Amino acid sequence: MSSAKEMYINQMGIDEKVYDFSEEILSGLKERFEAIDKTAECNQMKVIAAMQKNKVAEMHLSGTTGYGYNDDGRDTLEQVYADIFHTEAALVRPQIMCGTHALNIALSANLRPGDELLSPVGKPYDTMDEIIGIRPSKGSLAEYGVSYRQVDLLENGDFDYDGIRAAINDRTKLVTIQRSKGYASRPTLSVKKIGELISFIKGIKPEVICMVDNCYGEFVELTEPSDVGADMVVGSLIKNPGGGLAPCGGYIAGTKECVEQAAFRLSSPGLGKEVGATLGVNQSFYQGLFLSPTVVAGALKGAIFAANAYEKLGYRVIPDGKESRHDIIQAVELRTPEALIAFCKGIQSAAPVDSFVTPEPWAMPGYDSDVIMAAGAFVQGSSIELSADGPLREPYSAYFQGGLTWYHAKYGIMMSM
Ligand SMILES: *Cc1c(COP(=O)(O)O)cnc(C)c1O
């Protein structure tokens, strides 16, 4: 026995059959893993180049208190983000509490009463329902007189171009495009497809703001939606771009106008980007961003390994084992609540933190059915760390993502099996 195999079997709770099966699956994935490493290498250079161009210095790693005036570390980091996303500006703040908050800021900042929001890619992520007012909520866009229209994807996953053309009207102010599938069974959109969609929409109404919910997509490809026409890209720092080190936060990168609107909404009219103490987070924001391309690569390897392993075991997996990747999420349709819960327990038991606890389904705020989540993370709820979750509803899909290192992702998947 090789020593790794001995460790897995004797110390880590892996069955020999699971180990051998996993090695067999992995032997077929070498070329794909090499391609992932190549993308990570290019994205690593993109991050380093942006840091060098902006002369990131040791003094930027410390933070401010109080109002946070003249926080050079914060302002420089925002310029680094803007350069990575090739946008005019960016807002990268610990005061942005999560991805949902970032999206809410981006939308509510750039929409006014009487405007209409359009989603041309079907129903957005669950937590957007209450922001938009699809499910009534205090303070929703609907309450402020912003209407909403949605055009679903066609049966085959393509854009419904006729439906989109018909939905765009005088009031259409902002189009929200979700890159990752979230808790839906549709394919994740490639940056290329997002670009085609944006070109089509701008061809009909050039002044419309195109926003992309970029959650889980950052650094998966060589380009980002902002390279293909998006006016705003929005995401969470406890997902990809925080690299596992950011303890909280979110970002909005985009045109100067969109980002300024967002800054005024986040802080206050008149204050905008000038305020916002970073306390002690600057270092972890920079360092996490620096690590993000390799962390994302490890997470992608985990997703592809899980897809191929579970596909071989007879489960439907989305994306399938062969498909190209545009985010780090892997869905496995486990078909029964028991199997979904067991899968999450396996992931939990592989964690470095809280490996001994048992995940249970519960009614999480913002979601319309019970959700089970497995995470033994250094940062609460961080889903760039190895985690699995799924709503307790048909077809009982586990959405699996993350892994700060590929070896941890591999171990988690073996434990889930
Ligand atoms: C995670 C996610 C969100 C919301 O982010 P939170 O940080 O959980 O609030 C929104 N959209 C998509 C596609 C996501 O994956």
Side-chain angles (χ1 to χ4, degrees):
M1 272 206 232
S2 70
S3 65
K5 181 171 177 178
E6 273 168 23
M7 278 197 86
Y8 279 118
I9 292 169
N10 297 335
Q11 293 177 41
M12 305 304 289
I14 300 295
D15 190 281
E16 184 166 3
K17 263 194 287 191
V18 169
Y19 181 85
D20 290 340
F21 172 70
S22 300
E23 289 303 303
E24 182 198 318
I25 295 288
L26 287 171
S27 67
L29 295 174
K30 292 204 167 74
E31 273 174 36
R32 290 199 74 185
F33 281 21
E34 270 171 30
I36 289 169
D37 288 335
K38 264 284 165 245
T39 301
E41 187 174 355
C42 293
N43 283 328
Q44 181 75 80
M45 294 308 118
K46 181 156 79 172
V47 171
I48 294 175
M51 290 189 177
Q52 292 180 343
K53 179 184 164 210
N54 289 288
K55 295 194 162 51
V56 172
E58 191 183 353
M59 68 164 197
H60 293 137
L61 306 180
S62 58
T64 51
T65 57
Y67 292 112
Y69 292 141
N70 305 315
D71 191 320
D72 279 338
R74 176 196 69 204
D75 297 348
T76 303
L77 180 69
E78 290 181 335
Q79 198 47 55
V80 168
Y81 264 73
D83 284 335
I84 287 169
F85 287 107
H86 303 119
T87 55
E88 289 172 1
L91 190 65
V92 185
R93 300 289 169 121
Q95 288 84 6
I96 300 177
M97 289 176 254
C98 57
T100 303
H101 188 206
L103 289 159
N104 183 49
I105 293 164
L107 291 175
S108 57
N110 284 284
L111 289 159
R112 293 292 179 272
D115 288 343
E116 190 160 275
L117 169 67
L118 170 68
S119 171
V121 295
K123 195 183 102 51
Y125 194 75
D126 283 28
T127 61
M128 299 285 285
D129 286 6
E130 283 158 293
I131 295 177
I132 295 168
I134 297 172
R135 277 183 288 141
S137 173
K138 293 188 176 74
S140 68
L141 291 169
E143 269 198 353
Y144 283 93
V146 174
S147 57
Y148 171 68
R149 221 176 262 256
Q150 175 177 314
V151 179
D152 290 336
L153 296 174
L154 297 173
E155 199 80 10
N156 64 5
D158 285 349
F159 302 125
D160 177 3
Y161 284 117
D162 292 337
I164 296 168
R165 187 185 292 103
I168 295 174
N169 60 57
D170 286 352
R171 303 195 316 146
T172 312
K173 171 74 178 293
L174 199 154
V175 171
T176 179
I177 301 167
Q178 186 176 305
R179 178 172 175 179
S180 174
K181 64 185 164 301
Y183 288 147
S185 293
R186 59 118 161 139
T188 285
L189 302 174
S190 66
V191 170
K192 185 166 171 278
K193 278 200 85 174
I194 291 172
E196 289 162 11
L197 178 59
I198 292 174
S199 302
F200 176 78
I201 290 164
K202 298 251 180 191
I204 298 166
K205 190 166 183 181
E207 68 276 23
V208 80
I209 297 168
C210 290
M211 180 191 88
V212 174
D213 174 352
N214 209 23
C215 281
Y216 291 129
E218 299 91 350
F219 298 130
V220 172
E221 299 185 52
L222 293 171
T223 55
E224 300 290 339
S226 41
D227 292 313
V228 294
D231 300 294
M232 261 193 298
V233 285
V234 180
S236 165
L237 298 196
I238 61 168
K239 293 179 179 172
N240 303 15
L245 293 187
C248 62
Y251 77 90
I252 298 169
T255 64
K256 194 164 173 295
E257 173 61 18
C258 285
V259 171
E260 196 160 274
Q261 292 278 6
F264 274 54
R265 180 78 191 190
L266 171 65
S267 58
S268 162
L271 298 183
K273 292 179 86 175
E274 304 299 317
V275 295
T278 52
L279 307 173
V281 301
N282 275 341
Q283 193 214 337
S284 54
F285 280 16
Y286 279 106
Q287 200 173 353
L289 178 64
F290 174 76
L291 290 178
S292 176
T294 49
V295 172
V296 168
L300 270 176
K301 289 176 186 175
I304 291 170
F305 170 45
N308 283 275
Y310 275 91
E311 198 166 56
K312 194 79 183 268
L313 293 171
Y315 292 93
R316 178 163 184 245
V317 294
I318 304 165
D320 71 29
K322 298 254 163 356
E323 257 173 89
S324 66
R325 297 281 159 161
H326 311 293
D327 68 6
I328 63 168
I329 313 283
Q330 182 61 47
V332 181
E333 289 189 4
L334 291 157
R335 301 194 290 264
T336 65
E338 294 75 24
L340 171 58
I341 293 167
F343 182 98
C344 290
K345 285 183 175 168
I347 297 293
Q348 186 74 40
S349 65
V353 181
D354 292 337
S355 60
F356 51 89
V357 307
T358 305
E360 299 286 351
W362 62 301
M364 283 192 56
Y367 296 87
D368 69 357
S369 58
D370 280 5
V371 178
I372 183 164
M373 299 204 160
F378 295 101
V379 170
Q380 186 197 83
S382 166
S383 47
I384 186 61
E385 298 188 52
L386 185 67
S387 48
D389 44 82
L392 270 281
R393 66 185 182 216
E394 296 274 356
Y396 298 99
S397 293
Y399 295 83
F400 160 92
Q401 68 269 316
L404 293 188
T405 70
W406 149 237
Y407 303 114
H408 181 217
K410 174 181 172 182
Y411 175 52
I413 294 152
M414 287 197 285
M415 283 303 274
S416 79
M417 289 192 263

